[in-house]
Amino acid sequence: MGKYKGQSRLVLKPKSTQEVSQIMKHCWERRIGVVPQGGNTGLVEGGGVPVKDEVVLNLGSMNKVRSFDPVSGALVADAGCVLEVLSQHIAPHGYIMPIDLGAKGSCHIGGNVATNAGGLRLLRYGSLHGTVLGLEVVLPDGTIIDQLSTLRKDNTGYDLKQLFIGAEGTLGIITGVSILTPPMPQSTNNLVLALNSFENVLPIFKKTRARLSEILSAFEYFDRNAYELVVKHKLGKPLAEDEIADAPAFVLVETSGGNKEHDEAKLQEFLEEVMSDESLVKTGVLAQATEQFQQLWALRESIPEAVSKEGKAYKYDISVPVSTFESVVAKTRERLQEKGLYQTPGGVREVVGYGHIGDGNLHLNVVAEKYSDEIEAALEPFVYELVESHRGSISAEHGIGLMKAHALHYSKSKESIALMKKIKNVFDERGIMNPGKVLE
Ligand SMILES: O=C(O)CC[C@@H](O)C(=O)O
Ligand SMILES: [Zn+2]
């Protein structure tokens, strides 16, 4: 996003957990701040940026698969393994990673876990809080906590690993991950529906769940503006213009099942059913081959790239009731209009909404020519208050980082934040782990 410029004189690339431990011990004794980094693809604003000349600890050289059990699907890997490399490693055994996201080609599994990244498969396989079986972690004082269990069941008191999932490197450094991988589906299909109105998203979602429940693997949403940006920046092949006409909203449905013929027939039947109701759907495209499957996904997956090509983005990654998705986008646009900042010189170019509707996660992106205090003041705390009014979350899947630490209270109570600070203190009373992130 180009919002934060880090400063650090030293980047260390340890090759083993022992080396991480020695580095941490050294830094602990001298009270030197440390910022852990994975693949540097994080969307946690400023989460991996050293701001006070901290040492950068990059896990990229710890990239070995430690073990894989082809019966249980339990994978144990160094934190610096690239997500896609892990997928390739387990594919010949008939397994896939339970997490998938646009940055798969460079993000690290350790970073995924540290940020509790959500992504495109969460609807089907659940969050990392469920799929991570164990972790190996180095605490700020250099102590190694080996909890690299591959057990499905383990009720032996506090589940410590959960604290590190999504802690954004503020409690320690994840050096190893044990994760449960699901069997690879035999057949994967997708379709995109162009809807007549946003109000139709919910009935379609309901219908999708009812008709395709056992094979549904993703239900994604994007609005017209997001679609237009992808087409404008030539990142996706446009749908037939005459048919989609002025469709204001789109959904992408993906299925992953065990029987190709059965799944295709189910999807075809579903498409015919929703298309027969003209008040619901303008048009639908069912992917006929792998190339088209990828083209349809590109319409959704390329949105963040299209947004960054369009200008500087204010990104809000929020959880709100699905029924309010469109009104949140519309109210944000109205707010900018009122302030004379919408589509005016130097102002905001577009407000777009997209996201993982199946998980209740909306990505609200406000794209401007450049970052300005005026735009920021119009958006904050406005957006956060809007989220709070729906009892939503100001960070659904990206995290808090540096940028949203001050806004934590919109989603967490005073008492919860106080408890979080106590926990931080138990692990890191010297405050050397990723200082300033998550908690102010
Ligand atoms: O850049 C964003 O706001 C969202 C990125 C990512 O979480 C996505 O769902 O595409
Ligand atoms: Zn997302």
Side-chain angles (χ1 to χ4, degrees), residues 43 300 304 315 354 356 363 365 397-398:
L43 289 161
R300 163 63 186 89
K315 283 181 180 284
Y354 58 102
H356 319 283
H363 293 307
N365 285 192
E397 61 167 2
H398 295 168

Side-chain angles (χ1 to χ4, degrees), residues 104-116:
K104 53 184 158 267
S106 42
C107 64
H108 294 178
I109 188 70
N112 296 151
V113 175
T115 57
N116 188 24

Side-chain angles (χ1 to χ4, degrees), residues 81-397:
C81 288
V82 170
L83 182 61
E84 198 166 46
V85 173
L86 291 177
S87 297
Q88 286 159 0
H89 184 89
I90 60 176
H93 300 281
Y95 286 89
I96 58 167
M97 294 301 286
I99 172 172
D100 182 33
L101 56 156
K104 53 184 158 267
S106 42
C107 64
H108 294 178
I109 188 70
N112 296 151
V113 175
T115 57
N116 188 24
L120 306 163
R121 288 186 185 151
L122 193 132
L123 181 70
R124 177 67 168 266
Y125 301 114
S127 92
L128 289 166
H129 281 292
T131 49
V132 169
L133 299 172
L135 291 178
E136 179 190 75
V137 179
V138 177
L139 297 184
D141 67 0
T143 307
I144 299 171
I145 302 288
D146 179 357
Q147 289 217 329
L148 266 184
S149 155
T150 53
L151 307 172
R152 292 292 299 275
K153 289 179 141 184
D154 181 14
N155 278 353
T156 49
Y158 305 143
D159 189 358
L160 297 172
K161 68 174 182 291
Q162 298 297 349
L163 276 175
F164 297 92
I165 302 174
E168 300 176 26
T170 58
L171 300 181
I173 298 189
I174 296 172
T175 49
V177 175
S178 166
I179 190 165
L180 189 65
T181 68
M184 186 184 289
Q186 298 303 305
S187 114
T188 315
N189 296 287
N190 68 1
L191 59 81
V192 166
L193 301 175
L195 308 183
N196 274 319
S197 85
F198 178 82
E199 276 68 52
N200 295 344
V201 173
L202 278 182
I204 292 280
F205 183 40
K206 245 179 109 194
K207 221 181 250 304
T208 312
R209 280 178 123 172
R211 300 284 185 275
L212 304 170
S213 68
E214 78 282 18
I215 51 171
L216 182 65
S217 52
F219 191 89
E220 295 285 314
Y221 161 74
F222 46 101
D223 67 14
R224 179 82 193 195
N225 286 324
Y227 169 80
E228 299 277 356
L229 282 187
V230 169
V231 172
K232 175 175 169 191
H233 294 287
K234 299 196 169 42
L235 295 166
K237 198 166 174 282
L239 301 169
E241 202 53 46
D242 50 331
E243 288 183 76
I244 60 165
D246 51 356
F250 300 81
V251 293
L252 182 148
V253 178
E254 187 198 66
T255 59
S256 305
N259 182 319
K260 197 168 180 310
E261 268 169 34
H262 162 270
D263 297 355
E264 281 172 8
K266 274 276 218 192
L267 212 55
Q268 185 65 43
E269 215 176 277
F270 168 75
L271 183 64
E272 278 162 22
E273 184 186 336
V274 291
M275 295 271 289
S276 66
D277 185 346
E278 278 172 25
S279 65
L280 276 182
V281 174
K282 268 192 193 306
T283 193
V285 184
L286 175 63
Q288 299 300 334
T290 311
E291 197 192 343
Q292 203 181 8
F293 174 87
Q294 281 158 355
Q295 278 168 2
L296 293 185
W297 260 121
L299 288 174
R300 163 63 186 89
E301 276 195 299
S302 310
I303 300 168
E305 193 182 339
V307 162
S308 67
K309 283 196 173 0
E310 182 69 12
K312 295 286 184 197
Y314 294 84
K315 283 181 180 284
Y316 299 97
D317 157 45
I318 59 186
S319 275
V320 282
V322 173
S323 57
T324 67
F325 270 32
E326 202 215 6
S327 79
V328 167
V329 176
K331 280 182 184 156
T332 305
R333 192 176 290 122
E334 276 159 30
R335 164 86 176 173
L336 291 161
Q337 262 156 356
E338 274 164 28
K339 298 275 171 194
L341 291 166
Y342 183 65
Q343 299 190 331
T344 49
V348 165
R349 288 193 173 140
E350 204 39 90
V351 181
V352 308
Y354 58 102
H356 319 283
I357 212 161
D359 315 328
N361 177 189
L362 170 70
H363 293 307
L364 168 71
N365 285 192
V366 179
V367 202
E369 209 174 300
K370 54 182 190 316
Y371 291 126
S372 84
D373 292 345
E374 220 186 342
I375 298 174
E376 189 163 324
L379 291 170
E380 291 173 28
F382 176 81
V383 174
Y384 296 138
E385 284 170 359
L386 199 54
V387 172
E388 191 183 30
S389 72
H390 294 297
R391 287 198 67 119
S393 169
I394 61 153
S395 174
E397 61 167 2

